[in-house]
Amino acid sequence: MGNNRKLQYAIRAAIAMAGATAAAPAAFSQTAAATEPAAELQEVVVTGSRIQQNPNDISISPVVSVTALEIAQTGLVRTEDLLNNLPQVVAENSSGQSISSNGTATVSLRGLGSQRTLVLIDGRRMAPGGGLGTSASPDINQIPAAMIQRVDVLTGGASAVYGADAVAGVVNFVMDTHFQGVRVDADYGYNSYKNSNQQYLGLLAKAGDQIPPGTTNAGANRSASVLIGSNFADGKGNASAYFTYLNSSPAVGYQYDYAGCTLNTPSKLPGPGGLKCGGSSSSATGRFLELGKVVSATGAVSNFSTLADVTVDKTVPGGAFRGYTSADSYNYGALSYLQRQAERYTAGAFLNYDVSDYANVYSEFMFARNTSQAAYGPSGAFAFLTPVISCSNPLLSAQEMATLCSPANIAANQATFGPGGVSPNSKVTGNNILLYLARRSVESGPRLDNYYSNNFRQVLGVKGKIAEPWSYDAYAQVTITQLGDDQGNYLGAPQINNALNVIPNPAVGGVAGAAVGAPVCAAAVNGDDPKCVPWNIYQPGGVTAAQLAYLQVPSTYNVVQTEYIAHVDATGDLGKYGIQIPTASSGLVVNIGAEWREEKYVLSPDYIFQNGFGSGGNGAVQPINGQFRVGEAFTEMTLPIMDDKPMAYALSVNAGYRYSSYTSGFDTNTYKFGLEWAPIRDIRFRGGYNRAIRAPSIGELYAPPTIGAGGTADPCWGAAVGGLVNGHTLQFCENTGVTPAEFGHILPNPAAQINTSVGGNTALTPEKADTYTAGFVFQPSFLPNFVMSVDYYDIKIQNTITSLSSNTIVNN
């Protein structure tokens, strides 16, 4: 929870030290004493290379490994929580993200983005997780922590070995596919936090917000797993199966002193002052802002003078307005989840069988079912909806009517928003006005995102030896991921507009069943929406269940993402043919192979989601049906140069190349070079260069434009001071469409943001990355079990595929 700092730092230190020590045996193991019998060396595959190596070899690229024992010692039960404690990993989507989440858990190496981090399972590509807007990023929720044998994290480009995604590096989950016996694990844990920060508690008290208890025990995790495995056919085969379950309870902002309110920073407050508990001007009692054209005594015309800026006084039962102040802001932070409520099931089976000395048939099946719920501040009419309000609305009290609907206010408002006014899209006439209205629907409860995903992964393959110097691996893999979101407690934007335009029920042609003069929707009278129910936000306690039943609209989207892979590669020890440098003890080893991959992404939003009608939702999201195929050929080689020579205990080079041809029109070349040199046994230097080419993903190419909250600020809103607005001249603001009459009279958005359109771009070209790594590993023979590694990396990306900040675009 980011609370017990000593425990958190201890876990981080333990994982970091575990990673360093775990890399030691594979990276630089000691040889046995001369008097001991020599153990038979077994070949292993090191992450970052498809070439099998001996245990005492070291990876030229820096690799940190965390073993199953070290994972268990942390007490962490979610894979993303484990990775987020590693210094190489920057947290992205995770269990602790509520607002703007998509229900997936992704990993970003070096903060370069999950789309540039390749995730593997046993050295094989993990498919995209189907997330909305992150279609290229795997969802590591699908990884059962109980089955992890170790996690390898490789920094730097590995595109030549594994594919285009590996710009930042690789995270490889090595699973225990040869388990023997029965193992049952169960775990229960929760987060305990002492609410003792007097600064935060003082801010909560001053604002009148809820004070959390002295100690909060929340966010409990309950997990259980069963692993079963056995050898058969006299050891020729092994079958393993697993089942895991995880249930997580939510942790909510109001339970913690540091998250109990929405903090406003001094820069967002008028005048001097420090932090304050604030929030959104879409308040629980509403903010009613009436603007209009006013002529001053000197004859100056203001197009957007404030006629009224009021809220409902909750102490007056019949309904009355009073002036709106910042103290009326809604504290939406108190309801946001710091940990989502979640439930996860995983199950799978692994099978290996030696058909002959030359063929081992294997199968891997993995299934994951994840559900989670994110909650945050209620929906409503956000700042600022612009509904047309009838000044004949029977829900308005006499005082409220006088505040908004005086003859002078109606005339000034219609001078701006009526026909011929400043706003050409508004045609407010008659006994109506246009309001800027913001009101939280606190009666409907927090907005809910109920995420669900189902993932199926099947691998069928065969591997073995072709002849003495050659081995091969061929497999087919299919992954199907279904992900969706069922949104709850959202108000529909059309329903809000209809429910706010309220008139007295006419005697003729009115709403059947309603008394003459009773409040009814104009939309129900004219037939646009016969089911409309007036929204009574003008009186304390005026909102009823019938009103909410009309206003609330469910919405959902569904994503189906599929990936098909066919792969074959062969590794040959050409030293057996005499291809060897005389000063080396072993010869050239090469790997050659080919891979075909197809990815499909289908996004199906419902009518509400597609039109962005959920108030406070993601904005309009259009369907996507995209796919691409890629054919690749690759090779890799390792050439020892010297072994057991003066100042050259070991010296070798490594190189790799991959050619990729995409049906989206791209042909790319990626390659790598590496060098390792151990002048003596105790120290080994390593360095490498990688050229990575990442092709744009389906979402980056084809995602239709979506309008949503983007944090955009208008540089030209606010009052003019000394002839400048926020330091900008009229000429600057005219470039953004501001007229001289509007300059200095544009009201700042109280939510400090404007909706932004974001979408894909079919004109994208692949991005290029150059990765340089250099470092050394020190393992002195006089200090048993001590390993120190120091590595430097430099990653530069050209033609970067990214979304420029909307503020950057506007200001430029």
Side-chain angles (χ1 to χ4, degrees):
M1 299 306 300
N3 41 49
N4 190 327
R5 296 299 181 191
K6 292 183 179 179
L7 176 60
Q8 187 183 60
Y9 293 151
I11 290 176
R12 287 176 181 266
I15 293 178
M17 291 298 293
T21 56
F28 203 104
S29 62
Q30 301 182 67
T31 57
T35 57
E36 296 178 356
E40 180 183 355
L41 291 179
Q42 296 182 358
E43 292 182 326
V44 297
V45 175
V46 176
T47 297
S49 173
R50 296 189 184 275
I51 295 176
Q52 294 180 335
Q53 304 178 28
N54 292 327
N56 62 331
D57 287 336
I58 185 171
S59 170
I60 292 179
S61 299
V63 178
V64 171
S65 295
V66 182
T67 67
L69 175 60
E70 292 144 3
I71 293 172
Q73 289 172 341
T74 68
L76 299 172
V77 296
R78 284 186 298 260
T79 306
E80 68 267 27
D81 294 338
L82 165 72
L83 292 179
N84 286 342
N85 278 291
L86 291 172
Q88 298 96 328
V89 175
V90 175
E92 231 179 35
N93 284 328
S94 69
S95 62
Q97 186 172 351
S98 178
I99 297 179
S100 299
S101 172
N102 60 20
T104 64
T106 54
V107 55
S108 169
L109 284 178
R110 306 299 181 186
L112 291 177
S114 58
Q115 72 274 24
R116 298 183 182 91
T117 300
L118 183 59
V119 182
L120 308 174
I121 299 177
D122 292 326
R124 302 179 188 93
R125 171 184 293 270
M126 188 176 179
L132 181 64
T134 56
S135 59
S137 303
D139 180 9
I140 59 176
N141 272 318
Q142 300 159 6
I143 303 292
M147 285 297 295
I148 297 175
Q149 191 173 48
R150 75 175 194 272
V151 183
D152 293 341
V153 180
L154 179 148
T155 297
S159 295
V161 178
Y162 296 114
D165 311 58
V167 173
V170 168
V171 177
N172 185 19
F173 294 95
V174 180
M175 313 302 288
D176 189 355
T177 60
H178 290 74
F179 183 77
Q180 295 186 61
V182 177
R183 192 177 84 198
V184 179
D185 293 307
D187 180 89
Y188 174 81
Y190 61 87
N191 296 278
S192 183
Y193 176 78
K194 186 176 182 180
N195 291 298
S196 59
N197 189 304
Q198 296 304 313
Q199 179 187 12
Y200 292 142
L201 292 173
L203 293 175
L204 291 171
K206 187 175 181 180
D209 291 323
Q210 180 177 341
I211 304 297
T215 299
T216 293
N217 297 323
N221 290 304
R222 296 158 286 271
S223 66
S225 64
V226 179
L227 280 66
I228 302 174
S230 176
N231 290 338
F232 61 90
D234 296 326
K236 291 184 178 180
N238 177 275
S240 306
Y242 68 89
F243 173 81
T244 73
Y245 173 75
L246 172 65
N247 182 282
S248 299
S249 299
V252 193
Y254 67 82
Q255 298 174 302
Y256 299 90
D257 52 14
Y258 62 87
C261 74
T262 305
L263 291 175
N264 285 65
T265 60
S267 61
K268 293 183 179 180
L269 297 173
L275 290 174
K276 291 185 179 180
C277 282
S280 168
S281 63
S282 298
S283 70
T285 53
R287 184 179 181 183
F288 304 82
L289 182 62
E290 186 180 15
L291 303 176
K293 182 183 292 186
V294 174
V295 180
S296 68
T298 61
V301 178
S302 175
N303 291 325
F304 293 102
S305 291
T306 300
L307 307 176
D309 187 2
V310 294
T311 188
V312 173
D313 190 337
K314 59 185 178 182
T315 65
V316 180
F321 286 141
R322 61 167 176 79
Y324 177 88
T325 69
S326 60
D328 297 309
S329 298
Y330 180 74
N331 177 21
Y332 58 86
L335 293 180
S336 292
Y337 280 7
L338 305 183
Q339 174 177 289
R340 295 198 305 266
Q341 179 176 316
E343 189 172 50
R344 181 177 70 195
Y345 299 87
T346 67
F350 303 98
L351 176 67
N352 295 270
Y353 181 69
D354 292 326
V355 177
S356 69
D357 293 338
Y358 301 99
N360 172 271
V361 178
Y362 60 91
S363 170
E364 298 179 4
F365 173 75
M366 300 176 68
F367 166 76
R369 164 71 175 178
N370 291 279
T371 59
S372 66
Q373 184 182 83
Y376 29 98
S379 180
F382 284 92
F384 275 119
L385 186 74
T386 54
V388 173
I389 301 296
S390 170
C391 284
S392 301
N393 187 344
L395 298 176
L396 291 169
S397 68
Q399 187 268 356
E400 292 169 336
M401 184 79 69
T403 301
L404 298 178
C405 295
S406 67
N409 280 11
I410 294 176
N413 183 265
Q414 292 187 3
T416 297
F417 301 108
V422 174
S423 181
N425 294 325
S426 299
K427 303 188 184 305
V428 183
T429 59
N431 196 32
N432 300 317
I433 59 173
L434 184 140
L435 278 181
Y436 285 79
L437 174 61
R439 207 275 192 181
R440 289 276 176 170
S441 178
V442 292
E443 297 84 2
S444 57
R447 283 170 286 172
L448 300 176
D449 278 308
N450 298 291
Y451 300 107
Y452 62 89
S453 69
N454 297 292
N455 175 267
F456 301 86
R457 177 180 182 266
Q458 176 67 62
V459 180
L460 292 174
V462 58
K463 59 184 177 181
K465 288 186 176 295
I466 304 173
E468 177 58 29
W470 288 94
S471 61
Y472 69 94
D473 185 10
Y475 63 87
Q477 175 179 309
V478 58
T479 306
I480 302 174
T481 300
Q482 179 192 31
L483 182 141
D485 178 19
D486 294 330
Q487 293 189 333
N489 295 343
Y490 280 77
L491 272 58
Q495 285 79 5
I496 292 174
N497 278 290
N498 289 340
L500 288 173
N501 190 8
V502 181
I503 61 175
N505 192 31
V508 179
V511 176
V516 175
V520 294
C521 300
V525 174
N526 61 30
D528 288 344
D529 189 352
K531 297 181 179 179
C532 180
V533 179
W535 191 20
N536 186 2
I537 58 175
Y538 306 102
Q539 300 172 13
V543 178
T544 66
Q547 296 172 26
L548 294 178
Y550 168 73
L551 289 166
Q552 289 179 315
V553 292
S555 60
T556 184
Y557 71 82
N558 182 69
V559 172
V560 176
Q561 185 139 4
T562 56
E563 181 185 72
Y564 303 94
I565 295 177
H567 174 103
V568 61
D569 71 270
T571 303
D573 183 357
L574 303 188
K576 302 291 179 64
Y577 298 128
I579 304 178
Q580 177 177 335
I581 296 178
T583 54
S585 60
S586 58
L588 175 68
V589 181
V590 298
N591 175 270
I592 56 174
E595 184 172 288
W596 174 88
R597 186 171 87 253
E598 178 183 88
E599 292 189 9
K600 296 181 179 180
Y601 181 89
V602 179
L603 167 63
S604 303
D606 69 358
Y607 176 79
I608 301 297
F609 220 96
Q610 186 170 335
N611 288 278
F613 285 156
S615 183
N618 292 297
V621 176
Q622 299 302 311
I624 302 175
N625 189 338
Q627 69 175 5
F628 71 85
R629 300 180 184 90
V630 55
E632 299 179 298
F634 55 87
T635 185
E636 185 184 3
M637 57 80 69
T638 295
L639 178 63
I641 299 174
M642 288 187 183
D643 291 299
D644 294 318
K645 298 293 187 292
M647 292 302 294
Y649 176 77
L651 176 65
S652 66
V653 294
N654 177 274
Y657 171 78
R658 173 179 292 255
Y659 170 78
S660 305
S661 180
Y662 295 81
T663 55
S664 43
F666 310 124
D667 294 329
T668 64
N669 299 276
T670 59
Y671 43 86
K672 70 169 186 174
F673 303 97
L675 173 70
E676 62 172 344
W677 171 50
I680 58 176
R681 262 188 88 255
D682 293 4
I683 190 167
R684 188 176 298 243
F685 298 93
R686 60 191 179 190
Y689 164 76
N690 291 266
R691 161 59 64 89
I693 307 291
R694 188 183 76 87
S697 69
I698 294 175
E700 290 168 334
L701 286 170
Y702 306 120
T706 298
I707 297 177
T712 312
D714 186 343
C716 296
W717 63 26
V721 178
L724 301 175
V725 173
N726 298 320
H728 300 307
T729 63
L730 171 61
Q731 182 180 6
F732 173 93
C733 292
E734 283 180 327
N735 290 332
T736 72
V738 176
T739 66
E742 294 168 337
F743 184 71
H745 301 289
I746 300 175
L747 182 72
N749 187 319
Q753 62 181 6
I754 303 173
N755 284 351
T756 303
S757 177
V758 178
N761 181 359
T762 57
L764 290 175
T765 59
E767 59 185 21
K768 300 178 181 180
D770 293 311
T771 300
Y772 301 87
T773 59
F776 66 88
V777 179
F778 180 54
Q779 185 181 13
S781 56
F782 55 84
L783 286 178
N785 300 320
F786 175 84
V787 179
M788 180 180 71
S789 65
V790 177
D791 289 286
Y792 164 86
Y793 72 91
D794 186 326
I795 303 174
K796 297 180 180 179
I797 303 176
Q798 303 175 26
N799 300 330
T800 309
I801 300 172
T802 187
S803 294
L804 287 177
S805 160
S806 52
N807 287 316
T808 298
I809 295 172
V810 170
N811 288 326
N812 284 346

